[in-house]
mmCIF file of all heavy atoms in Angstrom:
data_model
loop_
_atom_site.group_PDB
_atom_site.id
_atom_site.type_symbol
_atom_site.label_atom_id
_atom_site.label_comp_id
_atom_site.label_asym_id
_atom_site.label_seq_id
_atom_site.Cartn_x
_atom_site.Cartn_y
_atom_site.Cartn_z
ATOM 1 N N VAL B 214 115.086 -38.020 100.732
ATOM 2 C CA VAL B 214 116.388 -37.377 100.398
ATOM 3 C C VAL B 214 116.261 -36.276 99.383
ATOM 4 O O VAL B 214 115.539 -36.456 98.397
ATOM 5 C CB VAL B 214 117.351 -38.491 99.793
ATOM 6 C CG1 VAL B 214 118.684 -37.885 99.518
ATOM 7 C CG2 VAL B 214 117.437 -39.677 100.781
ATOM 8 N N ALA B 215 116.875 -35.149 99.623
ATOM 9 C CA ALA B 215 116.911 -34.051 98.623
ATOM 10 C C ALA B 215 117.977 -33.036 99.057
ATOM 11 O O ALA B 215 118.356 -33.038 100.238
ATOM 12 C CB ALA B 215 115.544 -33.373 98.546
ATOM 13 N N ASP B 216 118.429 -32.250 98.157
ATOM 14 C CA ASP B 216 119.327 -31.210 98.474
ATOM 15 C C ASP B 216 118.518 -29.960 98.736
ATOM 16 O O ASP B 216 118.194 -29.166 97.812
ATOM 17 C CB ASP B 216 120.313 -30.972 97.323
ATOM 18 C CG ASP B 216 121.240 -29.790 97.623
ATOM 19 O OD1 ASP B 216 121.235 -29.285 98.746
ATOM 20 O OD2 ASP B 216 121.978 -29.392 96.705
ATOM 21 N N PHE B 217 118.131 -29.779 99.988
ATOM 22 C CA PHE B 217 117.182 -28.657 100.301
ATOM 23 C C PHE B 217 117.837 -27.312 100.309
ATOM 24 O O PHE B 217 117.259 -26.313 99.895
ATOM 25 C CB PHE B 217 116.511 -28.891 101.660
ATOM 26 C CG PHE B 217 115.545 -30.062 101.696
ATOM 27 C CD1 PHE B 217 115.802 -31.184 102.355
ATOM 28 C CD2 PHE B 217 114.345 -29.943 100.931
ATOM 29 C CE1 PHE B 217 114.899 -32.273 102.372
ATOM 30 C CE2 PHE B 217 113.430 -30.998 100.944
ATOM 31 C CZ PHE B 217 113.720 -32.178 101.656
ATOM 32 N N ASP B 218 119.105 -27.242 100.731
ATOM 33 C CA ASP B 218 119.727 -25.931 100.799
ATOM 34 C C ASP B 218 120.591 -25.586 99.571
ATOM 35 O O ASP B 218 121.249 -24.541 99.553
ATOM 36 C CB ASP B 218 120.591 -25.826 102.122
ATOM 37 C CG ASP B 218 121.570 -26.947 102.193
ATOM 38 O OD1 ASP B 218 121.712 -27.735 101.254
ATOM 39 O OD2 ASP B 218 122.258 -27.014 103.214
ATOM 40 N N GLY B 219 120.535 -26.416 98.597
ATOM 41 C CA GLY B 219 121.191 -26.129 97.331
ATOM 42 C C GLY B 219 122.725 -26.096 97.434
ATOM 43 O O GLY B 219 123.354 -25.400 96.561
ATOM 44 N N ASP B 220 123.319 -26.785 98.338
ATOM 45 C CA ASP B 220 124.744 -26.758 98.452
ATOM 46 C C ASP B 220 125.385 -27.947 97.786
ATOM 47 O O ASP B 220 126.601 -28.208 97.933
ATOM 48 C CB ASP B 220 125.152 -26.730 99.976
ATOM 49 C CG ASP B 220 124.783 -27.943 100.722
ATOM 50 O OD1 ASP B 220 124.042 -28.861 100.121
ATOM 51 O OD2 ASP B 220 125.116 -28.129 101.907
ATOM 52 N N GLY B 221 124.647 -28.724 97.070
ATOM 53 C CA GLY B 221 125.183 -29.869 96.318
ATOM 54 C C GLY B 221 125.283 -31.109 97.181
ATOM 55 O O GLY B 221 125.716 -32.103 96.629
ATOM 56 N N LYS B 222 124.888 -31.053 98.437
ATOM 57 C CA LYS B 222 124.952 -32.202 99.269
ATOM 58 C C LYS B 222 123.562 -32.690 99.659
ATOM 59 O O LYS B 222 122.663 -31.805 99.842
ATOM 60 C CB LYS B 222 125.739 -31.893 100.589
ATOM 61 C CG LYS B 222 127.255 -31.603 100.272
ATOM 62 C CD LYS B 222 128.006 -31.353 101.536
ATOM 63 C CE LYS B 222 127.658 -29.992 102.104
ATOM 64 N NZ LYS B 222 128.576 -29.512 103.173
ATOM 65 N N LEU B 223 123.390 -33.927 99.810
ATOM 66 C CA LEU B 223 122.052 -34.466 100.042
ATOM 67 C C LEU B 223 121.696 -34.223 101.494
ATOM 68 O O LEU B 223 122.394 -34.604 102.401
ATOM 69 C CB LEU B 223 121.965 -35.928 99.694
ATOM 70 C CG LEU B 223 122.098 -36.291 98.207
ATOM 71 C CD1 LEU B 223 122.082 -37.757 97.978
ATOM 72 C CD2 LEU B 223 120.946 -35.649 97.432
ATOM 73 N N ASP B 224 120.491 -33.636 101.703
ATOM 74 C CA ASP B 224 119.917 -33.518 103.014
ATOM 75 C C ASP B 224 118.810 -34.546 103.217
ATOM 76 O O ASP B 224 118.491 -35.280 102.253
ATOM 77 C CB ASP B 224 119.365 -32.090 103.184
ATOM 78 C CG ASP B 224 120.394 -31.035 102.802
ATOM 79 O OD1 ASP B 224 121.456 -31.070 103.380
ATOM 80 O OD2 ASP B 224 120.114 -30.222 101.855
ATOM 81 N N LEU B 225 118.182 -34.531 104.364
ATOM 82 C CA LEU B 225 117.115 -35.499 104.601
ATOM 83 C C LEU B 225 115.921 -34.807 105.102
ATOM 84 O O LEU B 225 115.999 -33.759 105.808
ATOM 85 C CB LEU B 225 117.560 -36.476 105.696
ATOM 86 C CG LEU B 225 118.865 -37.279 105.407
ATOM 87 C CD1 LEU B 225 119.258 -38.137 106.570
ATOM 88 C CD2 LEU B 225 118.594 -38.169 104.180
ATOM 89 N N ALA B 226 114.726 -35.334 104.821
ATOM 90 C CA ALA B 226 113.446 -34.830 105.382
ATOM 91 C C ALA B 226 112.890 -36.000 106.202
ATOM 92 O O ALA B 226 112.898 -37.136 105.781
ATOM 93 C CB ALA B 226 112.478 -34.457 104.271
ATOM 94 N N LEU B 227 112.397 -35.687 107.365
ATOM 95 C CA LEU B 227 111.961 -36.718 108.311
ATOM 96 C C LEU B 227 110.518 -36.530 108.781
ATOM 97 O O LEU B 227 110.103 -35.377 109.015
ATOM 98 C CB LEU B 227 112.746 -36.780 109.610
ATOM 99 C CG LEU B 227 114.311 -36.814 109.498
ATOM 100 C CD1 LEU B 227 114.868 -36.882 110.911
ATOM 101 C CD2 LEU B 227 114.724 -38.019 108.692
ATOM 102 N N ALA B 228 109.770 -37.594 108.804
ATOM 103 C CA ALA B 228 108.507 -37.615 109.597
ATOM 104 C C ALA B 228 108.827 -38.344 110.887
ATOM 105 O O ALA B 228 109.312 -39.482 110.853
ATOM 106 C CB ALA B 228 107.403 -38.348 108.832
ATOM 107 N N GLN B 229 108.549 -37.710 112.002
ATOM 108 C CA GLN B 229 108.857 -38.327 113.332
ATOM 109 C C GLN B 229 107.457 -38.419 114.061
ATOM 110 O O GLN B 229 106.971 -37.427 114.578
ATOM 111 C CB GLN B 229 109.848 -37.484 114.081
ATOM 112 C CG GLN B 229 111.194 -37.464 113.326
ATOM 113 C CD GLN B 229 112.286 -36.842 114.195
ATOM 114 O OE1 GLN B 229 112.820 -35.793 113.906
ATOM 115 N NE2 GLN B 229 112.661 -37.527 115.251
ATOM 116 N N PHE B 230 107.006 -39.635 114.074
ATOM 117 C CA PHE B 230 105.640 -39.849 114.674
ATOM 118 C C PHE B 230 105.760 -39.635 116.165
ATOM 119 O O PHE B 230 104.798 -39.045 116.765
ATOM 120 C CB PHE B 230 105.206 -41.293 114.395
ATOM 121 C CG PHE B 230 103.809 -41.605 114.722
ATOM 122 C CD1 PHE B 230 102.805 -41.479 113.775
ATOM 123 C CD2 PHE B 230 103.473 -42.019 116.009
ATOM 124 C CE1 PHE B 230 101.463 -41.780 114.083
ATOM 125 C CE2 PHE B 230 102.119 -42.283 116.301
ATOM 126 C CZ PHE B 230 101.152 -42.146 115.369
ATOM 127 N N GLY B 231 106.818 -40.070 116.779
ATOM 128 C CA GLY B 231 106.879 -40.012 118.268
ATOM 129 C C GLY B 231 105.661 -40.783 118.761
ATOM 130 O O GLY B 231 105.356 -41.892 118.320
ATOM 131 N N TYR B 232 104.993 -40.178 119.681
ATOM 132 C CA TYR B 232 103.654 -40.679 120.050
ATOM 133 C C TYR B 232 102.803 -39.548 120.648
ATOM 134 O O TYR B 232 101.854 -39.144 120.025
ATOM 135 C CB TYR B 232 103.764 -41.831 121.067
ATOM 136 C CG TYR B 232 102.417 -42.528 121.163
ATOM 137 C CD1 TYR B 232 102.010 -43.407 120.135
ATOM 138 C CD2 TYR B 232 101.566 -42.280 122.197
ATOM 139 C CE1 TYR B 232 100.795 -43.941 120.189
ATOM 140 C CE2 TYR B 232 100.297 -42.887 122.224
ATOM 141 C CZ TYR B 232 99.916 -43.728 121.226
ATOM 142 O OH TYR B 232 98.681 -44.317 121.269
ATOM 143 N N ASP B 233 103.241 -38.980 121.723
ATOM 144 C CA ASP B 233 102.586 -37.847 122.226
ATOM 145 C C ASP B 233 103.301 -36.537 121.766
ATOM 146 O O ASP B 233 102.697 -35.475 121.703
ATOM 147 C CB ASP B 233 102.535 -37.799 123.793
ATOM 148 C CG ASP B 233 101.731 -39.037 124.263
ATOM 149 O OD1 ASP B 233 100.744 -39.323 123.655
ATOM 150 O OD2 ASP B 233 102.165 -39.638 125.320
ATOM 151 N N GLN B 234 104.606 -36.674 121.622
ATOM 152 C CA GLN B 234 105.342 -35.632 120.962
ATOM 153 C C GLN B 234 106.043 -36.161 119.724
ATOM 154 O O GLN B 234 106.650 -37.262 119.797
ATOM 155 C CB GLN B 234 106.346 -35.009 121.935
ATOM 156 C CG GLN B 234 105.756 -34.115 123.016
ATOM 157 C CD GLN B 234 105.165 -34.893 124.145
ATOM 158 O OE1 GLN B 234 105.688 -35.915 124.617
ATOM 159 N NE2 GLN B 234 103.967 -34.467 124.614
ATOM 160 N N GLY B 235 106.028 -35.443 118.633
ATOM 161 C CA GLY B 235 106.713 -35.858 117.430
ATOM 162 C C GLY B 235 107.061 -34.589 116.646
ATOM 163 O O GLY B 235 106.998 -33.471 117.175
ATOM 164 N N SER B 236 107.480 -34.833 115.380
ATOM 165 C CA SER B 236 107.811 -33.648 114.609
ATOM 166 C C SER B 236 107.888 -33.951 113.107
ATOM 167 O O SER B 236 107.981 -35.123 112.741
ATOM 168 C CB SER B 236 109.108 -33.052 115.143
ATOM 169 O OG SER B 236 110.168 -34.004 114.915
ATOM 170 N N VAL B 237 107.989 -32.870 112.375
ATOM 171 C CA VAL B 237 108.485 -32.976 110.974
ATOM 172 C C VAL B 237 109.764 -32.152 110.985
ATOM 173 O O VAL B 237 109.755 -31.032 111.586
ATOM 174 C CB VAL B 237 107.451 -32.325 110.028
ATOM 175 C CG1 VAL B 237 107.995 -32.327 108.609
ATOM 176 C CG2 VAL B 237 106.125 -33.090 110.065
ATOM 177 N N SER B 238 110.769 -32.729 110.445
ATOM 178 C CA SER B 238 112.053 -31.990 110.503
ATOM 179 C C SER B 238 112.893 -32.252 109.267
ATOM 180 O O SER B 238 112.567 -33.114 108.463
ATOM 181 C CB SER B 238 112.833 -32.448 111.758
ATOM 182 O OG SER B 238 112.968 -33.852 111.799
ATOM 183 N N TRP B 239 113.960 -31.477 109.137
ATOM 184 C CA TRP B 239 114.889 -31.851 108.083
ATOM 185 C C TRP B 239 116.313 -31.813 108.652
ATOM 186 O O TRP B 239 116.600 -31.105 109.606
ATOM 187 C CB TRP B 239 114.742 -30.930 106.814
ATOM 188 C CG TRP B 239 115.242 -29.506 106.981
ATOM 189 C CD1 TRP B 239 114.670 -28.503 107.687
ATOM 190 C CD2 TRP B 239 116.400 -28.971 106.391
ATOM 191 N NE1 TRP B 239 115.373 -27.336 107.590
ATOM 192 C CE2 TRP B 239 116.419 -27.588 106.780
ATOM 193 C CE3 TRP B 239 117.397 -29.463 105.553
ATOM 194 C CZ2 TRP B 239 117.453 -26.703 106.329
ATOM 195 C CZ3 TRP B 239 118.354 -28.568 105.091
ATOM 196 C CH2 TRP B 239 118.402 -27.254 105.483
ATOM 197 N N LEU B 240 117.140 -32.647 108.034
ATOM 198 C CA LEU B 240 118.512 -32.774 108.525
ATOM 199 C C LEU B 240 119.403 -32.184 107.470
ATOM 200 O O LEU B 240 119.504 -32.655 106.325
ATOM 201 C CB LEU B 240 118.905 -34.245 108.726
ATOM 202 C CG LEU B 240 118.103 -35.014 109.758
ATOM 203 C CD1 LEU B 240 118.711 -36.440 109.991
ATOM 204 C CD2 LEU B 240 117.981 -34.201 111.101
ATOM 205 N N GLN B 241 120.101 -31.112 107.847
ATOM 206 C CA GLN B 241 121.017 -30.411 106.887
ATOM 207 C C GLN B 241 122.366 -31.094 106.987
ATOM 208 O O GLN B 241 122.909 -31.224 108.071
ATOM 209 C CB GLN B 241 121.038 -28.960 107.307
ATOM 210 C CG GLN B 241 121.900 -28.099 106.395
ATOM 211 C CD GLN B 241 121.892 -26.666 106.825
ATOM 212 O OE1 GLN B 241 121.680 -26.363 108.009
ATOM 213 N NE2 GLN B 241 122.080 -25.747 105.888
ATOM 214 N N ARG B 242 122.862 -31.409 105.843
ATOM 215 C CA ARG B 242 124.166 -32.097 105.825
ATOM 216 C C ARG B 242 125.286 -31.111 106.224
ATOM 217 O O ARG B 242 125.391 -30.039 105.664
ATOM 218 C CB ARG B 242 124.426 -32.595 104.386
ATOM 219 C CG ARG B 242 125.639 -33.443 104.163
ATOM 220 C CD ARG B 242 125.293 -34.889 104.505
ATOM 221 N NE ARG B 242 126.358 -35.781 104.092
ATOM 222 C CZ ARG B 242 126.397 -36.376 102.907
ATOM 223 N NH1 ARG B 242 125.449 -36.180 102.046
ATOM 224 N NH2 ARG B 242 127.360 -37.271 102.602
ATOM 225 N N THR B 243 126.038 -31.540 107.189
ATOM 226 C CA THR B 243 127.144 -30.665 107.641
ATOM 227 C C THR B 243 128.552 -31.239 107.434
ATOM 228 O O THR B 243 129.549 -30.582 107.539
ATOM 229 C CB THR B 243 127.026 -30.340 109.167
ATOM 230 O OG1 THR B 243 126.937 -31.626 109.836
ATOM 231 C CG2 THR B 243 125.795 -29.558 109.457
ATOM 232 N N GLY B 244 128.587 -32.568 107.150
ATOM 233 C CA GLY B 244 129.831 -33.200 106.925
ATOM 234 C C GLY B 244 129.609 -34.515 106.198
ATOM 235 O O GLY B 244 128.518 -34.784 105.717
#
Side-chain angles (χ1 to χ4, degrees):
Chain B
V214 181
D216 177 10
F217 290 112
D218 55 5
D220 65 355
K222 292 181 289 192
L223 292 176
D224 309 304
L225 303 174
L227 307 183
Q229 297 190 247
F230 191 92
Y232 194 76
D233 298 323
Q234 285 80 41
S236 64
V237 177
S238 56
W239 73 287
L240 300 187
Q241 184 177 26
R242 188 84 169 269
T243 55

